[in-house]
Amino acid sequence: MSHREYLESVLETIRLSKLNAYITLDHEGVRQQAEQVDAGERDGRLAGVPVAVKDAISTKGLRTTCASRMLEHYVPPFDAFVVTRLKEEGAVIVGKTNMDEFSMGTSTETSYFGPTRNPSDLNRVPGGSSGGSAAAVAACEADLALGSDTGGSIRCPASFCGVVGLKPTYGRVSRSGLVAYGNSLEQIGPIARTVAECALLFEVIAGHDPLDSTSAKLPAPQCTSSLDDHLSGTKIGVPKELFGEGVDPIVEAATWKALHTLDDLGASADVISLASLKRALSAYYVLAMSEASSNLARYSGIVYGYRADRDQNWHTTFSEDRAVGFGKEVKRRILLGTYALSAGYYDKYYSKALGARALIQRDFMKAFKTYDALIAPTMPHTAFRIGEKIEDPLALYQVDINTVPVNLANIPALSLPCGRKGKLPIGVQIIGDKFSEAKLLNVAHQLEQNLS
Amino acid sequence: MITKADVERVANLACIELNDKELQEFTLQLGAILEYFDELSDIEAQPPKKEEENVLRPDEVTTSLPQKEALANAPRVDSGYFRGPRIL
C-alpha cells in the first residue's frame, strides 16, 4: 500500500466516524504530503505517519481554535516548534483535534465545537482536555497525536481511551507555539497506541528551543534504545495518598496487578506516604486559574479573536466580546483567577498555593532519592457519561486528583493501559524524577509486554 | 463567603460582562470552589525564593512578520493598522 492509499484510508475512517475527534482536517495537505513521501521527496523517522495535533498547538496556515469561539477563525502565521519537528521528520499532519476550550476541562465537553465521544462507549467522555487526540489515536483516525498537559490533559484521555500518553518533564519540550493556559505547569507530549511509538514521538519533539526561555538546555533524549532494559533492582514507590476514597476498587485492583507484574520482572515495590499531596488539587487549581486569568487577558479582539461589529468604548467592547467569545468554564476560571490575584486575597490563595507547591516538590524529591518510579492509578475511575458531571464544576475538578501533583512538581509521568472495567479502559500512571523519561518508558514498555 | 457584588467587581476587572443568570450561577459555584480552597489556609510553608537565571539571547536583527500577514487575523483593519475600539 502506498502512503497516499494508507492516508486516504485514514481520512475515510475519520469521515465515517461518530467521535467528533477533529475540529479541522487538512485533506489537501494530507494528499500533497503523502504524494511527496511516495515520491521520496519527504523522509525521516515519521515519514508518511498520520499525526493528529491538539488544536491548542499552532500550525501555520491551518486554523487553530483552542476549541473556542474566540479563536474560531484564527489561522496562525507560524508553526509551533513541535510542529516544525514533526514536519522535519516527514510526518503528515492530518488535522487539529478537539479539546476542552483553552484546555480547561477533563472531559472535552467544554469545546465550542461539541463534545468528542469515547471510542469504547459513545455515550461516555474521552477524558480531557486532549480528548480528541486520544480518541483519534484509539480509533485509528491517526497513528500518533500531540496533546498538552497542564493538570493531566494528556494522561486523563489516554487512560479513558486506552492509549499511551506521556507528560514530559517541564522544560523538556518547547512550549513555543502552544497557546498558553498555565505556563508554569504545562507541557506538550505524545499520545500513541504503544509505548515504543510514544517513545519515538517523544524523541522527535523533545530538545532545546531558544524561543522558549524555560526550555532545558539538554541534549535530545534517547529513549527508544533502552525500552528493553531489564527491571531487576528497579525500586517502585506506591504513594498511598493516590489510592484515596474516590478510587474505584476495580481500578485499584488493576493497578496492583500491574505492580505484581513488575514484581515478577524483578522490580520491588513499597507503599509510601507523600502527605503534601492531600492539598495538591486546591494548590493546582488556584495556580492554574491565576495563570489563566493573566494569560487570557490577551483576547481583546483587536489583533485576532472574536469581535462584534459595535462601536462602544473599549471597556464595554472588550467585556461584551469576551462574554460572547468565551464559554462558561473559561469564564469561571478567569473570574476565580482574577479573584485569587486581587488585592486582599493574594496572600490567602495564591501565596498559600505556592507554599503547598513547594511542599509537594520537596516530598517528590525525597521519594526519588530512594525510588526509580512511583506508580498509582492515572484516574480514580473509568470514563464517565457525557453530561454526568458538567453541571458540577467542583466534582469535575476532583477527578484530576491523581494527575495534578505531577504538574506542580514539574516531573514526567506516563499513563499506560492496564486493564478494563467492562469495555472501559483503565490506565496506570508511572511517575518519574525530572528528566527520567527514558526510565519511565522502559518500565512502561516492560509492563506493556508482560501484562496479560 | 463570596457575594454577587464580589463577582460583579471581579468580572469588571476581568472585562467579562455577565448577565443576571450567570451572575447568580457563578456566585454559587465560585463560593463552593473557594470554600474548597480554604483547605490551603493552614499551609505555613513559604513559597521558595527562586534564584531564577535570566535567559538572554544575542540581539540580532531577523525578519519579522510582513504587514499583510500580521494583519490577516485582525477583525478590523484600517489603512494598514489594527483598528481598536474608541477610548471614550
Side-chain angles (χ1 to χ4, degrees):
Chain A
M1 197 194 279
S2 71
H3 288 284
R4 168 81 195 249
E5 284 167 325
Y6 177 57
L7 283 151
E8 288 289 353
S9 77
V10 171
L11 287 176
E12 183 64 7
T13 306
I14 297 168
R15 198 180 66 78
L16 298 171
S17 168
K18 293 186 171 69
L19 300 180
N20 194 29
Y22 286 91
I23 293 174
T24 307
L25 286 167
D26 186 14
H27 290 99
E28 189 79 0
V30 168
R31 286 177 187 132
Q32 212 174 18
Q33 291 166 50
E35 275 166 13
Q36 288 170 352
V37 178
D38 283 329
E41 292 158 14
R42 272 172 93 88
D43 57 7
R45 285 184 288 174
L46 298 177
V49 176
V51 182
V53 176
K54 185 180 186 180
D55 212 20
I57 300 170
S58 302
T59 41
K60 185 175 181 173
L62 188 59
R63 184 170 75 134
T64 300
T65 70
C66 273
S68 180
R69 184 171 184 186
M70 184 58 85
L71 293 177
E72 188 179 358
H73 305 293
Y74 176 69
V75 180
F78 63 91
D79 276 327
F81 175 87
V82 291
V83 171
T84 304
R85 296 290 298 118
L86 287 179
K87 289 180 176 173
E88 283 168 0
E89 293 292 350
V92 176
I93 293 164
V94 181
K96 307 300 293 290
T97 52
N98 203 6
M99 54 185 275
D100 281 292
E101 186 180 1
F102 284 104
S103 302
M104 298 180 192
T106 307
S107 63
T108 314
E109 290 171 283
T110 70
S111 168
Y112 175 62
F113 300 93
T116 293
R117 294 172 182 277
N118 190 311
S120 298
D121 179 345
L122 294 179
N123 294 315
R124 292 180 186 265
V125 303
S129 65
S130 313
S133 286
V137 170
C140 299
E141 295 180 19
D143 284 348
L144 300 170
L146 293 181
S148 67
D149 190 316
T150 312
S153 286
I154 289 173
R155 290 160 289 154
C156 161
S159 173
F160 281 4
C161 292
V163 292
V164 185
L166 169 69
K167 185 218 87 91
T169 310
Y170 187 78
R172 200 33 142 163
V173 177
S174 169
R175 289 179 296 113
S176 159
L178 171 67
V179 179
Y181 154 31
N183 327 45
S184 81
L185 300 157
E186 59 208 4
Q187 274 289 287
I188 295 170
I191 296 174
R193 287 189 288 269
T194 67
V195 175
E197 288 171 326
C198 185
L200 173 62
L201 181 54
F202 172 64
E203 280 187 357
V204 167
I205 61 171
H208 180 248
D209 172 17
L211 290 180
D212 173 359
S213 64
T214 62
S215 160
K217 279 190 182 141
L218 291 169
Q222 290 297 317
C223 298
T224 45
S225 52
S226 53
L227 292 175
D228 290 319
D229 287 1
H230 290 294
L231 296 185
S232 46
T234 300
K235 294 177 86 172
I236 308 280
V238 185
K240 64 176 186 186
E241 287 77 9
L242 301 181
F243 291 73
E245 272 171 38
V247 177
D248 181 330
I250 293 175
V251 170
E252 187 169 343
T255 311
W256 278 105
K257 193 180 158 204
L259 280 160
H260 291 311
T261 304
L262 288 172
D263 190 61
D264 294 342
L265 293 169
S268 63
D270 297 323
V271 175
I272 62 168
S273 173
L274 305 174
S276 64
L277 298 194
K278 283 181 199 146
R279 291 191 183 78
L281 198 73
S282 289
Y284 167 77
Y285 272 101
V286 168
L287 296 174
M289 288 169 174
S290 299
E291 292 183 23
S293 76
S294 163
N295 273 320
L296 272 64
R298 77 189 60 178
Y299 298 100
S300 62
I302 294 181
V303 180
Y304 47 75
Y306 177 82
R307 175 123 168 240
D309 211 10
R310 283 184 297 263
D311 195 29
Q312 312 270 8
N313 72 40
W314 66 271
H315 190 267
T316 308
T317 302
F318 292 167
S319 300
E320 287 183 2
D321 290 347
R322 285 160 64 83
V324 176
F326 291 142
K328 259 190 194 175
E329 182 58 27
V330 172
K331 288 180 198 174
R332 247 188 315 263
R333 294 196 193 194
I334 293 175
L335 294 176
L336 276 162
T338 307
Y339 185 75
L341 292 175
S342 66
Y345 296 99
Y346 182 90
D347 288 336
K348 188 172 175 196
Y349 296 110
Y350 190 75
S351 185
K352 293 280 183 192
L354 285 181
R357 183 178 195 172
L359 292 177
I360 290 161
Q361 288 174 340
R362 206 178 307 162
D363 265 0
F364 273 118
M365 266 166 60
K366 223 163 82 188
F368 288 122
K369 280 189 183 142
T370 308
Y371 299 100
D372 299 298
L374 308 179
I375 283 191
T378 307
M379 301 303 290
H381 42 65
T382 50
F384 44 90
R385 282 184 196 82
I386 292 174
E388 187 179 329
K389 291 181 192 282
I390 196 73
E391 296 303 328
D392 185 353
L394 186 56
L396 199 49
Y397 298 166
Q398 283 165 335
V399 170
D400 300 340
I401 188 133
N402 278 10
T403 51
V404 297
V406 163
N407 301 77
L408 289 168
N410 298 142
I411 51 181
L414 175 150
S415 182
L416 176 78
C418 71
R420 282 181 187 257
K421 179 183 180 180
K423 55 186 173 181
L424 300 175
I426 299 170
V428 59
Q429 183 174 210
I430 310 170
I431 305 169
D433 200 359
K434 282 183 185 170
F435 303 107
S436 71
E437 285 90 351
K439 183 71 193 172
L440 287 189
L441 289 157
N442 168 218
V443 171
H445 181 72
Q446 291 303 309
L447 198 49
E448 178 189 51
Q449 300 303 307
N450 292 283
L451 262 175
S452 48
Chain B
M1 199 64 192
I2 192 166
T3 63
K4 261 189 183 181
D6 291 328
V7 178
E8 259 182 317
R9 181 182 59 87
V10 168
N12 188 52
L13 284 174
C15 280
I16 297 177
E17 197 181 74
L18 300 179
N19 60 36
D20 288 345
K21 192 174 158 268
E22 283 176 315
L23 190 59
Q24 187 118 12
E25 188 184 334
F26 283 155
T27 304
L28 285 173
Q29 288 172 342
L30 268 49
I33 294 164
L34 287 167
E35 201 178 321
Y36 185 81
F37 290 168
D38 279 343
E39 68 172 6
L40 294 171
S41 62
D42 62 348
I43 296 273
E44 279 173 11
Q46 292 298 313
K49 287 204 171 51
K50 274 192 200 161
E51 304 278 325
E52 300 273 11
E53 234 178 281
N54 229 341
V55 180
L56 301 171
R57 58 169 172 77
D59 186 17
E60 282 162 359
V61 178
T62 55
T63 45
S64 53
L65 219 50
Q67 189 185 40
K68 205 174 150 218
E69 277 182 49
L71 292 169
N73 281 293
R76 290 177 80 177
V77 172
D78 193 343
S79 322
Y81 292 97
F82 296 110
R83 188 181 173 116
R86 58 193 168 82
I87 301 299
L88 292 169

